[in-house]
Amino acid sequence: GENVEQHPSTLSVQEGDSAVIKCTYSDSASNYFPWYKQELGKGPQLIIDIRSNVGEKKDQRIAVTLNKTAKHFSLHITETQPEDSAVYFCAAPPGGWGKLQFGAGTQVVVTP
Amino acid sequence: DAGVIQSPRHEVTEMGQEVTLRCKPISGHNSLFWYRQTMMRGLELLIYFNNNVPIDDSGMPEDRFSAKMPNASFSTLKIQPSEPRDSAVYFCASSLLATQVLFFGPGTRLTVT
C-alpha cells in the first residue's frame, strides 16, 4: 500500500521567512498530491493540490512542487505570517484513486 | 453552504457503552469518508462510501466498529462496546467523486473513560 512520509515534524520560522515541508510517497500509481492545513480545534482544510501532469503550482504565498521520478513533493510558504501557524498534512491516493493516505503532519509555528 | 456537519462535537462515555457518531455531508457530494485522528497514529482512514455504498472498510479497527450510510445525506459510525483506546477525534469528510478534494467536518472528540 501507499506509504507517505512527511518531514519535518515541527518547523519554527520567523515571520517573513519561508517554510518548506517535504513529503515522499511509495506508490508510483499516485497521481494527485494535496496539502491540507489544520488549525486548532478544526478539521483539515485543503490549501493547494497538484496533479501528476504538472511540476509546480502556485497560489499567492503558497506553492507545491512535484518530482514524480524521485516520488517527492513539497509545500513552500513564502513571507510567513502568524496566521500560517497550524499543522500541515500532505497526502496521496494509493493506487491513484479513491481514498487519501495522509502524512504524519508538520506543526508550523511562525514567531513574530 | 453549511459544510459537513458532525454531531455530537464532544462525547464522553464510559467503557463498554455504545457510541454513535453522526455526519451530514455537503449536499450533492457522493463520497463520504470517516477518519480518526490521534497523536500516535495521525489521520487514519476508517471507511469510505461512494454513492452510499461502502467501498473500503479495511481501516476499521475491529468488529466493534460499524458504519452505515442509509442515504446520501446521512452517515453514522458506531462503536459497541467502546474502549478507552477508542478515544480520539473522529472526522467525517465528503467529496465529489473524481475530484478527490475532501471537505472535512469539525470532528467529534470522543473520550472513553
Side-chain angles (χ1 to χ4, degrees):
Chain A
E2 177 71 279
N3 185 34
V4 179
E5 295 192 358
Q6 182 172 347
H7 301 280
S9 58
T10 60
L11 182 58
S12 183
V13 295
Q14 289 279 342
E15 183 177 357
D17 287 350
S18 295
V20 181
I21 306 169
K22 298 180 179 180
C23 280
T24 61
Y25 61 97
S26 60
D27 189 343
S28 57
S30 291
N31 55 11
Y32 171 68
F33 307 95
W35 286 90
Y36 283 77
K37 176 183 181 181
Q38 186 177 26
E39 296 177 341
L40 198 61
K42 297 182 178 181
Q45 182 176 12
L46 179 73
I47 54 171
I48 195 167
D49 57 11
I50 191 169
R51 299 195 184 268
S52 59
N53 56 344
V54 296
E56 183 176 6
K57 183 177 178 181
K58 289 183 179 180
D59 183 2
Q60 300 183 347
R61 295 187 298 107
I62 59 173
V64 55
T65 58
L66 170 64
N67 183 327
K68 282 223 74 179
T69 303
K71 294 183 186 173
H72 67 72
F73 57 111
S74 300
L75 177 70
H76 304 254
I77 307 173
T78 58
E79 301 173 24
T80 53
Q81 300 170 4
E83 54 264 37
D84 295 328
S85 295
V87 180
Y88 292 81
F89 294 93
C90 63
W97 185 252
K99 60 187 180 183
L100 287 178
Q101 178 74 38
F102 283 86
T106 297
Q107 173 78 61
V108 173
V109 177
V110 180
T111 54
Chain B
D1 198 323
V4 175
I5 299 172
Q6 291 187 248
S7 65
R9 294 294 311 277
H10 302 272
E11 178 79 36
V12 180
T13 191
E14 292 184 345
M15 183 173 64
Q17 296 298 306
E18 177 180 300
V19 175
T20 298
L21 311 181
R22 296 173 175 80
C23 175
K24 177 179 169 55
I26 292 173
S27 177
H29 281 189
N30 45 17
S31 289
L32 185 139
F33 304 78
W34 283 100
Y35 279 87
R36 177 172 69 175
Q37 186 175 38
T38 61
M39 287 295 293
M40 291 297 294
R41 301 175 69 91
L43 273 166
E44 300 175 276
L45 178 67
L46 300 178
I47 185 171
Y48 80 96
F49 299 82
N50 285 344
N51 296 313
N52 314 338
V53 176
I55 302 301
D56 185 346
D57 65 354
S58 59
M60 296 286 261
E62 48 202 270
D63 292 344
R64 297 185 298 107
F65 285 68
S66 63
K68 294 181 180 179
M69 192 164 185
N71 56 61
S73 58
F74 184 65
S75 178
T76 59
L77 178 67
K78 185 178 293 186
I79 309 172
Q80 165 65 18
S82 58
E83 296 183 3
R85 60 191 167 122
D86 301 330
S87 297
V89 180
Y90 290 80
F91 288 104
C92 175
S94 70
S95 75
L96 276 172
L97 259 174
T99 67
Q100 297 176 295
V101 176
L102 300 187
F103 292 81
F104 282 82
T108 295
R109 180 173 295 278
L110 173 65
T111 303
V112 183
T113 60

